[in-house]
């Protein structure tokens, strides 16, 4: 078992139990990609589903030995819902572990939005934060996209990832699925337009600033990497026509 396999399997199990899941199309060449880097195979696998309220639930899983493990897991709601994004960036590199876990708000500075989607999870955040030291600086420009419940930590012990981080991941995902269960479609045209603009802003930022770009380019080349980023990881810009009713 590699470090993040239980996270992906745990998510699969929860999502299967709580949602009506269907497979989300993955273009040829993205389901599995392999390169040999300094004698070691680095394999990237993609998994994706959708559900009646969630446009894309997707995972990118990079496995390249004990010093290179990444699970990036993002849920993008359908454009009819004002739900936040679910975002987990679980990264293990030679320098150590880096963990980002959040429900990223569409309208961070709107008090009503905050009351609806952030305040209810603050108790969870506080409970987990007590065991996971703040990870320190992160890019200033990313700040607007994170919620006040952003768990950001660089655990020194792998056992902390397997226990506390895993528990936080499951709790955040369950809390997210509670929001999904209760979500009602937005009906006002201005509301729908605001949701779409906020989703595009976020996904555009993620695609432009993807911290994995350098790594993927080194392993698999620039052409595959750009296609993977824009055609799979953050694909709304390219596919938005398909998601308009
Ligand atoms: N990050 C991704 C995707 C990845 C991925 C799609 C498939 O968005 C991996 C892989 N993240 C990844 C890797 C690193 C990070 C770092 C490989 C290490 C980069 C390196 O050190 O070379 C949160 N991820 C980071 C960092 C942050 C995040 C803050 C460290 C700072 C940095 O180097 O940029 N997750 C990241 C982020 C958002 C998020 C910025 C949202 C706005 O959800």
């Amino acid at each position: 078992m590699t470090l993040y396999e239980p996270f992906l399997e745990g998510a699969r199990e929860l999502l299967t139990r709580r949602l009506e899941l269907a497979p989300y199309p993955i273009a040829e060449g993205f389901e599995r990609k392999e390169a040999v880097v300094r004698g070691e195979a680095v394999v990237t696998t993609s998994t994706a589903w959708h559900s009646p309220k969630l446009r894309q639930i997707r995972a990118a899983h990079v496995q390249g030995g004990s010093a290179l493990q990444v699970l990036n897991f993002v849920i993008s709601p359908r454009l009819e819902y004002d739900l936040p994004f679910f975002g987990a960036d679980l990264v293990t590199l030679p320098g150590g572990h880096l963990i980002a876990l959040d429900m990223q708000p569409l309208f961070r500075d709107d008090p009503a939005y905050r009351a609806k989607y952030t305040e209810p999870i603050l108790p969870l955040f506080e409970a987990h934060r007590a065991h996971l030291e703040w990870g320190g600086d992160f890019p200033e420009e990313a700040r607007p996209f994170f919620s006040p419940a952003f768990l950001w930590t660089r655990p020194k012990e792998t056992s902390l990832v397997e226990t506390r981080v895993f528990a936080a991941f499951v709790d955040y995902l369950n809390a997210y699925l509670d929001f999904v269960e209760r979500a009602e479609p937005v009906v006002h045209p201005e509301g729908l337009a605001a949701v779409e603009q906020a989703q595009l802003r976020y996904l555009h930022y993620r695609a432009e600033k993807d911290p994995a770009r350098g790594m993927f380019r080194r392993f698999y080349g620039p052409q595959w990497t750009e296609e993977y980023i824009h055609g799979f990881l953050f694909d709304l810009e390219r596919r938005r026509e398909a998601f308009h009713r």
Side-chain angles (χ1 to χ4, degrees):
M1 243 331 171
T2 57
L3 187 56
Y4 298 118
E5 267 183 297
F7 290 73
L8 184 54
E9 289 316 308
R12 186 195 304 275
E13 194 270 318
L14 264 180
L15 294 165
T16 305
R17 182 155 53 77
R18 298 196 54 182
L19 299 174
E20 268 174 66
L21 272 193
Y24 183 93
I26 302 175
E28 224 178 290
F30 294 154
E31 281 197 0
R32 189 176 194 282
K33 183 75 178 168
E34 182 167 344
V36 176
V37 182
R38 282 184 230 103
E40 179 133 40
V42 180
V43 181
T44 296
T45 49
S46 306
T47 307
W49 303 278
H50 62 86
S51 82
K53 294 180 184 174
L54 302 173
R55 188 186 70 79
Q56 189 202 42
I57 304 163
R58 62 94 183 131
H61 192 194
V62 183
Q63 297 173 91
S66 59
L68 176 57
Q69 295 290 323
V70 177
L71 181 66
N72 183 268
F73 181 75
V74 173
I75 301 179
S76 297
R78 289 194 191 271
L79 299 175
E80 292 83 8
Y81 296 92
D82 70 352
L83 287 160
F85 290 92
F86 183 90
D89 204 11
L90 313 171
V91 179
T92 299
L93 297 173
H97 308 292
L98 175 162
I99 304 292
L101 184 60
D102 200 10
M103 295 192 210
Q104 297 174 322
L106 296 186
F107 310 109
R108 192 186 195 281
D109 301 323
D110 175 346
Y113 192 89
R114 185 180 285 227
K116 188 174 178 186
Y117 289 128
T118 297
E119 278 158 27
I121 60 163
L122 288 178
L124 265 188
F125 168 71
E126 295 297 342
H128 289 291
R129 182 175 71 158
H131 306 283
L132 299 167
E133 203 181 322
W134 178 247
D137 283 349
F138 65 94
E140 184 65 39
E141 59 189 3
R143 229 161 272 256
F145 297 105
F146 291 108
S147 85
F150 178 38
L151 273 177
W152 167 241
T153 185
R154 300 171 186 269
K156 296 204 173 42
E157 306 286 332
T158 299
S159 61
L160 215 54
V161 176
E162 294 164 332
T163 56
R164 298 294 186 180
V165 173
F166 182 75
F169 178 78
V170 169
D171 280 354
Y172 268 52
L173 189 53
N174 263 315
Y176 186 77
L177 295 175
D178 293 341
F179 285 141
V180 173
E181 240 166 58
R182 291 196 292 269
E184 298 285 347
V186 175
V187 288
H188 290 290
E190 315 88 83
L192 288 166
V195 166
E196 180 170 356
Q197 282 318 304
Q199 280 219 13
L200 285 168
R201 194 160 57 235
Y202 172 85
L203 293 167
H204 181 80
Y205 174 82
R206 293 287 309 259
E208 286 307 302
K209 303 291 167 162
D210 189 343
R213 178 176 264 111
M215 173 185 89
F216 281 138
R217 284 180 166 238
R218 258 183 291 121
F219 298 160
Y220 308 127
Q223 198 181 345
W224 183 89
T225 299
E226 293 311 312
E227 274 305 305
Y228 191 56
I229 291 173
H230 296 283
F232 176 66
L233 291 176
F234 306 107
D235 68 355
L236 179 63
E237 260 177 317
R238 280 201 191 166
R239 308 201 55 193
R240 58 202 282 201
E241 295 312 321
F243 290 99
H244 275 278
R245 293 233 171 118

